[in-house]
Amino acid sequence: MTEHTDGPPGETGGEATESTEAGGAGGGQGVEGGVPHAYGPDRLSHIVLNSVDLPASKRFYTEVLGFQVSDWYENDQMVFLRCNELHHCIVLAPGRWTSLNHVAFEVASADEVMRALGRMRAAGFDTVWGPGRHGPGGNVFCYFTDPVGNVIEYTAELLEVDDTWEARSWERTPENADVWGTSGGITPDVIAAMSNPPRTGSGR
C-alpha cells in the first residue's frame, strides 16, 4: 500500500492509503473460476443505492448493520459507508425510486482503468463519464452503461482508512466530483441513467 499523494487536499484526520491489491490477482488480472485471466475487473469495489428515504436507509445501515460513515456530501446528498478498511463499499444517494445507482468494479491501478477504457471502447461501449478522480474516497473512475442501461464503473486506488479517520462533509461541486478536472463533468443523461427508473421488456 502506498500513501495517497495526488488526491484532493484538505482531508481531515486518520491515515489513508490506496487500495491497490486486486483480490490477490495483481497486475490488473481478474479471476475467473479461481484462475487469473488477462484483464479485470478484479473484484467488486462498491455499489451505490438510490433511496426514497435516505435518512431511514442511513439509520438502517449504520445502526442495524453496523456500517461506519466515512464521508458525505453536504446535506446528505450522498453518504459513503464502510464495513472494513476501504473508504466505502456502499454509498447511499437520494432517489425517486429505490434502485441501483451504479456498481463499481476494481482494477489494480489507474493504468488499468485506462486499459479498461480502451477495451470498452473497442467493444463499442464508450465512457459516459470519466476518466477522473473522485474527491470522497480519492478513487480513479470511468463510467459506462451496459446494454440495458445500468451504470457500471471501473475504479482503482480507493482510499483505505483506519479507526482514526475523521468523517467530513464535502461540498457538492464539480471540483469535488472530479478533482483532476478531466472527466468533462457529469451530464444530465448520466444522472438520468443513475436514477435507474423501473424498466420492462428489452431495455431503455
Side-chain angles (χ1 to χ4, degrees):
M1 303 300 172
T2 57
E3 186 80 16
H4 182 78
T5 58
D6 60 347
E11 277 140 346
T12 59
E15 183 174 340
T17 58
E18 293 172 357
S19 172
T20 56
E21 293 182 12
Q29 291 185 334
V31 178
E32 185 174 284
V35 179
H37 57 76
Y39 54 87
D42 296 307
R43 64 181 178 183
L44 181 66
S45 172
H46 60 273
I47 60 172
V48 179
L49 301 174
N50 296 322
S51 172
V52 295
D53 188 341
L54 197 146
S57 294
K58 180 181 176 182
R59 287 193 301 271
F60 174 78
Y61 281 95
T62 57
E63 298 176 13
V64 179
L65 293 184
F67 283 73
Q68 293 177 279
V69 176
S70 293
D71 283 316
W72 65 92
Y73 274 120
E74 56 190 350
N75 302 317
D76 277 357
Q77 293 181 65
M78 294 185 81
V79 180
F80 299 82
L81 302 172
R82 71 183 188 274
C83 62
N84 52 34
E85 73 279 2
L86 296 177
H87 178 272
H88 57 272
C89 59
I90 287 181
V91 183
L92 302 175
R96 294 176 59 191
W97 304 274
T98 296
S99 61
L100 176 69
N101 180 294
H102 70 269
V103 58
F105 300 108
E106 183 179 291
V107 292
S109 65
D111 182 73
E112 279 300 310
V113 172
M114 297 306 293
R115 291 176 184 272
L117 168 56
R119 289 190 295 269
M120 293 292 284
R121 282 180 172 167
F125 296 90
D126 202 355
T127 177
V128 296
W129 187 28
R133 187 188 284 278
H134 288 312
N139 49 309
V140 178
F141 68 84
C142 206
Y143 290 83
F144 307 86
T145 54
D146 73 9
V148 295
N150 293 305
V151 179
I152 65 169
E153 174 189 1
Y154 268 99
T155 192
E157 301 178 1
L158 180 65
L159 292 178
E160 293 186 358
V161 303
D162 60 24
D163 289 338
T164 64
W165 178 262
E166 295 181 18
R168 58 169 284 197
S169 175
W170 292 75
E171 289 185 75
R172 191 71 182 269
T173 64
E175 293 77 16
N176 285 334
D178 175 18
V179 299
W180 284 348
T182 56
S183 67
I186 190 168
T187 66
D189 285 346
V190 176
I191 293 172
M194 287 179 171
S195 74
N196 212 359
R199 297 179 178 88
T200 59
S202 58
R204 310 178 185 208

